[in-house]
Amino acid sequence: MNDEKGMIIITSLVALGIFIVAGLAAYFQSILALPLAIIGLIFVPFILIQNSEKNAHLAENLEKIAFVITFLVICITFICLYKPI
């Protein structure tokens, strides 16, 4: 159980890092990276509440939805960034 708690904390730190890096990219480069920062911030509490079985199941379902939304946002961002002029 301690290994799982450690992995949950490390994974939530990765999501927090995604938020920080995407936020910096949105601030210094392009505002189009802002949705990725918001999604990274949304993942942090989802990952941290996975201690009990009930919360883990809810968080997994919400994460699946969030991953699909993240993929779509990334695709749209690349289309907007690399469209021909």
Side-chain angles (χ1 to χ4, degrees):
M1 186 68 176
N2 289 334
D3 292 338
E4 290 179 12
K5 284 185 180 182
M7 185 59 92
I8 289 172
I9 291 174
I10 290 172
T11 307
S12 66
L13 288 175
V14 169
L16 187 62
I18 290 170
F19 165 71
I20 293 169
V21 170
L24 289 172
Y27 182 73
F28 289 116
Q29 295 282 324
S30 174
I31 197 70
L32 293 174
L34 188 61
L36 185 61
I38 294 169
I39 291 169
L41 186 63
I42 291 170
F43 280 156
V44 174
F46 287 157
I47 294 170
L48 286 176
I49 65 169
Q50 291 184 4
N51 290 334
S52 69
E53 185 71 29
K54 181 181 176 183
N55 289 337
H57 184 66
L58 173 66
E60 286 175 9
N61 290 337
L62 292 173
E63 283 180 21
K64 287 177 187 176
I65 294 168
F67 278 121
V68 170
I69 292 171
T70 303
F71 179 71
L72 293 174
V73 167
I74 290 171
C75 290
I76 291 169
T77 302
F78 277 118
I79 290 170
C80 291
L81 283 174
Y82 297 111
K83 66 181 176 187
I85 298 174

